[in-house]
Amino acid sequence: MLIGANVSMKGTKMLVGAVAEAQSYKATTLQFYTGAPQNTRRKAVADMRIPEGLKLMQEAGLSHTVIHAPYIVNLGNTVKPENYPFAVQFMKEEVQRAEALQAYAMPFHPGAHVGAGPAAAINQIAKGLNEILTPDQHVVIALETMAGKGTEIGRTFEELAAIIDQVDLQDKVMVTMDTCHMSDAGYPVRDDFDGVLNTFDHVIGLHKLALIHLNDSKNPQGAHKDRHTNIGFGTLGFDCLNAIAHHPQLQGIPKILETPYVGSDRKHLVPPYGPEINWLKTGHFAPAELVALGATPLAEKEA
């Protein structure tokens, strides 16, 4: 199983540190940002310790590196056209960084229309992708399914399909399915995931599915809020997410956890990924492991 989590690439350790963190969770794949997701400050490729990190990945049996694009880029904003050239240029550079890191896919939040309407945003996102993508790149841009918070684009498979239909280099663009986002957007992930997959296949095509963000949700279906929670601690539940992790139609597709750190307070937070990955590998849910670290089960949160 290709299972991993969002890890950190920062400081002086860079890729070496990210690989070591993933290895500590007994992961088989990994995701990271090339810098803080809230800004566009990035280190030079020469400082990322790439040869050492790639060697460690091979030794650790890690593959299918996923590099998440930062949230701050909004190709869909037609209200402030002055921001568009920078967004395109940054993403061009981010693709170059991903290529240097030998990444497999880049999850990308499509953007928000900020009041101009979905059609205008969809057209501009596709226009931006046509400027960003190149025939010789290996990393695919994986448009992410979104929860539908505010004016987000990507709340339906149809919106993602409308973007892809306008992209010239269609082999360079795929989709990231986020289980929390899809449920929050209104798709019946918990009760009929096979139906969700079937809908996706008819609207976009399963051959366009690059990876899964495997996250539980704090919210009921259709809440449009985008609030992740730990595996088995939310409204989707362990059985649902475990079935997705082992789904026969999704073999060979990386599953990445983006669940929140846990702890008694904000000053004492630790990553949950070691236990969560083990649960999904073995099919054995042991919530007491995270409760002991400060996680709160959904029933207690609602009480």
Side-chain angles (χ1 to χ4, degrees):
M1 186 196 298
L2 284 169
I3 185 84
N6 192 74
V7 297
S8 178
M9 189 179 81
K10 63 181 181 180
T12 58
K13 293 183 178 180
M14 296 303 285
L15 183 58
V16 171
V19 172
E21 184 182 348
Q23 191 175 13
S24 75
Y25 305 142
K26 294 182 170 56
T28 51
T29 187
L30 74 166
Q31 173 183 285
F32 53 83
Y33 295 85
T34 61
Q38 303 88 352
N39 64 53
T40 55
R41 294 190 297 274
R42 296 295 182 265
K43 283 192 175 182
V45 166
D47 295 330
M48 291 182 177
R49 299 182 67 181
I50 294 174
E52 295 168 85
L54 293 177
K55 183 174 182 292
L56 286 175
M57 279 187 65
Q58 187 174 20
E59 293 170 353
L62 289 157
S63 67
H64 292 73
T65 300
V66 177
I67 294 176
H68 204 307
Y71 308 142
I72 199 168
V73 173
N74 182 9
L75 288 179
N77 186 353
T78 61
V79 176
K80 293 184 176 180
E82 65 272 17
N83 294 345
Y84 175 78
F86 175 79
V88 168
Q89 183 57 36
F90 177 82
M91 282 301 296
K92 285 181 177 180
E93 294 169 0
E94 193 75 338
V95 167
Q96 291 172 1
R97 285 184 282 269
E99 288 288 289
L101 287 155
Q102 299 185 16
Y104 154 70
M106 181 181 293
F108 179 65
H109 293 188
H113 65 72
V114 296
I122 286 168
N123 292 340
Q124 183 162 282
I125 293 164
K127 177 177 180 286
L129 289 172
N130 283 330
E131 294 180 42
I132 293 161
L133 300 170
T134 63
D136 58 346
Q137 73 182 66
H138 295 93
V139 64
V140 295
I141 302 295
L143 302 172
E144 188 163 338
T145 58
M146 302 305 294
K149 182 176 61 177
T151 64
E152 284 178 337
I153 299 298
R155 69 186 70 198
T156 66
F157 299 154
E158 286 78 8
E159 287 187 345
L160 296 180
I163 296 170
I164 295 169
D165 286 345
Q166 296 183 57
V167 173
D168 297 330
L169 299 172
Q170 295 208 353
D171 61 322
K172 307 301 181 185
V173 61
M174 295 181 75
V175 173
T176 300
M177 267 191 176
D178 186 300
T179 53
C180 169
H181 294 177
M182 288 191 299
S183 178
D184 277 27
Y187 288 97
V189 174
R190 182 188 63 191
D191 299 323
D192 186 20
F193 183 71
D194 282 341
V196 174
L197 270 190
N198 185 56
T199 300
F200 181 90
D201 192 28
H202 280 83
V203 175
I204 297 176
L206 277 175
H207 66 286
K208 282 292 187 187
L209 182 57
L211 69 141
I212 306 282
H213 280 163
L214 203 61
N215 301 305
D216 214 327
S217 175
K218 291 183 178 180
N219 306 294
Q221 181 182 325
H224 301 295
K225 288 186 177 180
D226 185 7
R227 296 169 68 218
H228 299 189
T229 195
N230 298 100
I231 300 297
F233 283 65
T235 57
L236 296 179
F238 177 76
D239 289 344
C240 164
L241 297 170
N242 186 56
I244 293 171
H246 295 273
H247 199 286
Q249 288 181 273
L250 305 178
Q251 290 181 5
I253 293 177
K255 287 88 179 177
I256 300 290
L257 305 179
E258 300 175 315
T259 52
Y261 280 28
V262 297
S264 55
D265 56 60
R266 291 186 179 182
K267 293 182 179 179
H268 301 89
L269 296 177
V270 295
Y273 303 128
E276 288 180 335
I277 286 172
N278 183 56
W279 301 342
L280 293 166
K281 280 183 173 182
T282 63
H284 177 63
F285 181 43
E289 293 180 64
L290 290 196
V291 172
L293 296 173
T296 306
L298 182 65
E300 293 181 25
K301 293 176 185 176
E302 294 176 339

